[in-house]
Amino acid sequence: MGFFESDIVQQEAKSLFEDYQSLTQLGSEYGKFDREGKVIFIQKMEEMMDRYRVFMKRFELSDDFMAKMTVEQLKTQLGQFGMTPQQMFEQMNQTLERMKREVETDR
């Protein structure tokens, strides 16, 4: 069975995409959140990023040709911005850490 034919892979991809869209839409209102809302939003983003990291690691470890092509496409796309997948995750983590510090100082 191919990587993308797996029900588990398809379900997680769908779930990640839907969660990302929801959080992105919700994030447009981030400035209006109270402190507790900001903390919850940051936690949800961290959880989603952890799930995304695991999902991408599955691609990297797979022997499936299409999974390998997907990883290469991501590297190419990020490379156009002078970034690697690792740098993308690091930048996202830095952003979330900055958001946490800002919430802590708003007490």
Side-chain angles (χ1 to χ4, degrees):
M1 175 188 317
F3 188 81
F4 291 101
E5 294 170 0
S6 164
D7 287 342
I8 294 169
V9 170
Q10 289 178 16
Q11 288 171 344
E12 183 61 9
K14 182 177 187 271
S15 177
L16 273 169
F17 181 73
E18 289 171 353
D19 291 350
Y20 177 77
Q21 280 189 314
S22 295
L23 284 170
T24 300
Q25 283 181 321
L26 191 60
S28 67
E29 302 292 320
Y30 181 82
K32 298 177 184 175
F33 296 169
D34 62 9
R35 184 185 178 287
E36 186 175 334
K38 289 178 180 179
V39 168
I40 292 169
F41 178 81
I42 293 167
Q43 287 171 342
K44 293 295 182 189
M45 284 296 293
E46 286 177 324
E47 290 168 9
M48 192 207 48
M49 290 307 305
D50 287 342
R51 287 174 43 217
Y52 185 65
R53 223 180 258 104
V54 169
F55 192 70
M56 288 307 301
K57 187 53 82 175
R58 287 183 184 146
F59 277 86
E60 292 172 12
L61 295 175
S62 174
D63 291 331
D64 183 82
F65 175 75
M66 290 305 293
K68 291 189 178 302
M69 287 301 298
T70 301
V71 171
E72 289 307 312
Q73 287 175 340
L74 176 63
K75 288 179 180 177
T76 299
Q77 290 170 348
L78 290 172
Q80 292 173 350
F81 299 101
M83 192 179 295
T84 66
Q86 181 64 31
Q87 289 170 322
M88 175 190 72
F89 284 118
E90 288 171 5
Q91 189 172 25
M92 289 179 183
N93 279 336
Q94 288 172 0
T95 299
L96 290 171
E97 289 301 318
R98 187 185 75 244
M99 291 168 75
K100 282 195 241 182
R101 284 192 305 272
E102 289 171 359
V103 167
E104 287 300 314
T105 60
D106 285 348
R107 287 185 168 193

